[in-house]
Amino acid sequence: MNINLNQNKNLKLFKIISEVAGKNNQTVFIVGGYVRDLLMKRKTPTDIDFVTESNGIDLAKAVAHEINPKLKVSVFKNYGTAMFKHEGLDLEFVGARKESYAEHSRKPSVETGTLEDDQKRRDFTINALAISLNKENFGDLIDPFDGINDIKKKILRTPLEPSQTYSDDPLRMMRAIRFASTLNFKIEENSLKAIQQEAERIRIVSLERIMVEFNKIMLSEKPSLGLKLMEQTGLMQLIIPELTALKGIEEVEGQTHKDNFWHTLEVVDNICQNTGNLWLRWAALLHDIGKAPTKKFVDGTGWTFHGHEFLGSKMVKNIFYRLKLPLGADMKYVQKLVKLSSRPIALVDDGTSDSALRRLLFDAGEDLEDLFILNKADITTKNSSKQAKFKKNFEYVALKIKEVEEKDQVRNFQPPISGEEIMEMFNIQPGREIGILKEKVKEAILEGEIGNDKEEAKSFVIREGELLGLILQ
Ligand code: ATP
Ligand code: MG
């Protein structure tokens, strides 16, 4: 089969590569993700991989030189690859290779090979497709494992025997699940079995690499596809056991609780319809994480998960640390959302007092909208009248909050009176009284005892200062 590249946006580039390779007596093929996405008419590419049956580094240098002698080529000698950027694309050149693996490592020993050897070492048939850029058969699709048919059937299949493929490089298990989730493909049955069998081998893969794939699952349209596969293959239990701990329904005295694992997956899918923010998606994934360790059956009350949000937000840190995810602002944001996740809904039951609303505004600050997005996603009941009721309650809280914010402006709370002003009022040096008084002002505003206003705050500080034995100057 010939792929007509005449209309291709990169035709000019492909022609240059073809020419240069021809002049150098080298073969050259486009290979991997670019070919797959081209055949699937998917997204615009960010990178293109080329393979040659001789030296990839030489070819990269020659092509770059032809395009612009000043182009900078990055060479990775150990891998026999080189790359450069061209018109916003990462172009990578590699010499075809043949690989064999040792038991303890996912780093193979490598020899030079033919195109077919190179295609064999690739993870899936749909990623092993190549298009020739050689003069004599420019545009020919080289597809020794019938990847094109697997694209049609939406199937992920390994070119070689599956358990060997996954055992050789266990990262491929995560890649299989990632592609299943992002492309909405099925993992072929023998592959799925092999992943179940080899799951434990994921331990030899670095967490950074695992999480690159995991986050691609989280960024897919319907992450539950991938998350379910991780559960089904045992990988979830190995990577985030705190999540599988949420699985199951217990019954005591005829009372059950919902299965919080499956509920969580629904919440994640829901939130993905309203946000592309990876960390907000993570907040959905972890919002109920504290429910397993806090679960209790209380006579007369039923199932409780008392304090699960608080414990959950603490668990976020351990999880991020273990998974080598960033521990800065992103982690704190996830912690904050987990901690606040039940607050808006709890407000409905508390009769939405203004002070509770002000406290929520103060605590959520600039992340209030995101918290609402999470709360909406959290409504997973199948009972449509219940669902309508929850949504209505929730909109009511959102409305009340808006009113309170317009009135009191506590969202990006700035104390109406500063430490310096307090020191001046009582002619005192910096000391613990300042902190105490400032905290009291904040509390009084949130409780609604005084308005968020300088004059009111001043009179309040005078009264409270005197109680502390300070004398107004
Ligand atoms: P993406 O759209 O995410 O870039 P991709 O298929 O291009 O998808 P890359 O990680 O860029 O994925 O890898 C490029 C190609 O290299 C793949 O298409 C596949 O042929 C091969 N490959 C990558 N990682 C592996 C692996 N662990 N085992 C075997 N082949 C791999
Ligand atoms: Mg790629």
Side-chain angles (χ1 to χ4, degrees):
M1 177 167 144
N2 189 274
I3 310 293
N4 188 342
L5 294 173
N6 286 332
Q7 302 303 319
N8 192 293
K9 251 175 69 186
N10 300 299
L11 179 65
K12 215 173 120 199
L13 171 72
F14 296 154
K15 289 271 186 206
I16 293 174
I17 294 174
S18 175
E19 285 288 318
V20 172
K23 250 189 261 164
N24 283 8
N25 277 324
Q26 293 189 279
T27 56
V28 64
F29 307 86
I30 321 174
V31 71
Y34 178 84
V35 181
R36 176 198 70 222
D37 290 344
L38 182 71
L39 293 173
M40 289 181 69
K41 303 188 177 62
R42 256 181 107 234
K43 61 174 190 179
T44 38
T46 55
D47 53 299
I48 312 182
D49 296 315
F50 302 93
V51 67
T52 172
E53 285 163 305
S54 53
N55 193 309
I57 298 171
D58 289 349
L59 182 60
K61 284 182 177 164
V63 172
H65 187 83
E66 181 67 29
I67 293 173
N68 174 357
K70 286 197 194 120
L71 256 180
K72 207 177 141 288
V73 180
S74 318
V75 175
F76 307 91
K77 229 175 164 182
N78 292 344
Y79 297 96
T81 68
M83 59 159 297
F84 62 89
K85 278 193 191 298
H86 173 67
E87 294 179 346
L89 287 167
D90 285 335
L91 306 183
E92 183 162 336
F93 294 78
V94 61
R97 54 196 175 176
K98 201 174 170 169
E99 291 177 346
S100 50
Y101 286 82
E103 173 73 19
H104 59 280
S105 155
R106 54 177 293 269
K107 298 209 171 54
S109 57
V110 179
E111 307 163 40
T112 354
T114 60
L115 173 69
E116 180 148 354
D117 290 328
D118 198 88
Q119 286 173 298
K120 270 188 199 155
R121 71 170 182 91
R122 292 183 181 264
D123 46 7
F124 306 105
T125 60
I126 62 165
N127 287 346
L129 295 151
I131 296 175
S132 168
L133 295 184
N134 303 303
K135 260 209 186 86
E136 64 279 9
N137 57 354
F138 191 86
D140 271 7
L141 185 72
I142 302 158
D143 178 17
F145 311 108
D146 207 8
I148 190 128
N149 203 23
D150 289 342
I151 289 182
K152 281 193 199 121
K153 293 195 296 192
K154 295 177 144 245
I155 283 181
L156 288 156
R157 199 161 53 85
T158 57
L160 304 179
E161 203 275 310
S163 38
Q164 191 64 46
T165 306
Y166 294 116
S167 168
D168 280 349
D169 178 0
L171 180 65
R172 292 168 182 160
M173 303 191 283
M174 282 302 293
R175 286 177 60 87
I177 295 174
R178 183 261 279 200
F179 285 118
S181 203
T182 54
L183 304 177
N184 192 12
F185 273 35
K186 288 253 173 321
I187 299 176
E188 176 265 335
E189 208 183 302
N190 291 322
S191 243
L192 197 60
K193 278 195 200 135
I195 297 175
Q196 276 162 339
Q197 229 169 61
E198 302 295 330
E200 283 280 338
R201 292 215 14 106
I202 199 68
R203 296 195 195 282
I204 70 165
V205 182
S206 78
L207 275 157
E208 286 86 347
R209 293 220 173 229
I210 296 175
M211 292 327 277
V212 166
E213 301 302 331
F214 188 84
N215 281 338
K216 287 187 177 174
I217 296 172
M218 287 301 288
L219 286 172
S220 66
E221 211 176 295
K222 205 175 163 201
S224 68
L225 292 176
L227 299 172
K228 275 180 196 165
L229 284 166
M230 284 185 69
E231 194 275 326
Q232 195 186 343
T233 53
L235 285 166
M236 188 63 92
Q237 173 67 28
L238 292 163
I239 298 168
I240 317 183
E242 294 88 343
L243 274 175
T244 41
L246 295 175
K247 243 176 26 178
I249 298 176
E250 260 187 89
E251 184 176 330
V252 175
E253 293 171 11
Q255 295 205 51
T256 55
H257 58 80
K258 65 177 173 246
D259 184 310
N260 284 302
F261 180 75
W262 300 105
H263 163 70
T264 293
L265 299 199
E266 270 184 73
V267 178
V268 172
D269 281 352
N270 285 347
I271 212 163
C272 291
Q273 302 193 356
N274 292 313
T275 182
N277 175 348
L278 175 65
W279 302 112
L280 183 49
R281 291 177 173 205
W282 264 93
L285 184 71
L286 300 182
H287 81 286
D288 271 348
I289 204 79
K291 279 195 171 172
T294 54
K295 183 167 93 173
K296 250 202 201 110
F297 187 83
V298 180
D299 283 331
T301 310
W303 291 103
T304 66
F305 304 91
H306 188 68
H308 81 85
E309 304 88 344
F310 186 71
L311 181 69
S313 81
K314 297 205 145 184
M315 291 168 72
V316 168
K317 188 167 185 178
N318 292 338
I319 293 172
F320 270 51
Y321 181 79
R322 191 186 67 233
L323 299 177
K324 301 219 157 60
L325 291 169
L327 295 174
D330 295 331
M331 192 266 298
K332 297 218 168 74
Y333 164 84
V334 176
Q335 279 194 301
K336 178 174 168 182
L337 289 175
V338 170
K339 195 160 160 188
L340 297 178
S341 58
S342 308
R343 284 269 292 279
I345 288 302
L347 277 179
V348 175
D349 306 329
D350 293 350
T352 57
S353 73
D354 279 9
S355 62
L357 293 168
R358 269 191 299 270
R359 280 194 184 278
L360 178 60
L361 265 166
F362 177 77
D363 291 337
E366 59 180 354
D367 299 317
L368 189 70
E369 276 78 16
D370 290 357
L371 180 61
F372 284 171
I373 294 176
L374 174 58
N375 290 142
K376 278 201 193 121
D378 202 1
I379 302 172
T380 59
T381 173
K382 299 289 173 295
N383 177 325
S384 63
S385 72
K386 259 193 187 169
Q387 197 177 81
K389 193 181 108 200
F390 287 157
K391 285 208 169 122
K392 214 171 111 228
N393 286 346
F394 187 69
E395 272 156 25
Y396 177 68
V397 171
L399 186 76
K400 291 297 275 182
I401 286 212
K402 220 174 132 212
E403 284 172 15
V404 168
E405 171 60 9
E406 273 164 18
K407 191 155 57 91
D408 300 331
Q409 277 145 28
V410 288
R411 181 168 187 176
N412 293 305
F413 185 76
Q414 295 295 334
I417 188 163
S418 72
E420 285 78 40
E421 286 170 302
I422 296 174
M423 290 192 287
E424 220 168 86
M425 282 165 69
F426 298 110
N427 190 23
I428 49 173
Q429 298 300 309
R432 54 187 282 274
E433 289 94 348
I434 318 290
I436 295 174
L437 286 171
K438 282 180 77 177
E439 179 63 22
K440 279 185 187 267
V441 170
K442 185 195 94 190
E443 282 295 312
I445 293 171
L446 292 179
E447 281 304 314
E449 288 164 24
I450 60 171
N452 189 0
D453 167 275
K454 190 165 201 110
E455 284 314 307
E456 284 192 53
K458 248 186 176 163
S459 330
F460 176 81
V461 165
I462 294 170
R463 266 180 285 136
E464 289 295 323
E466 282 172 354
L467 291 176
L468 291 175
L470 301 174
I471 299 155
L472 186 70
Q473 298 296 302

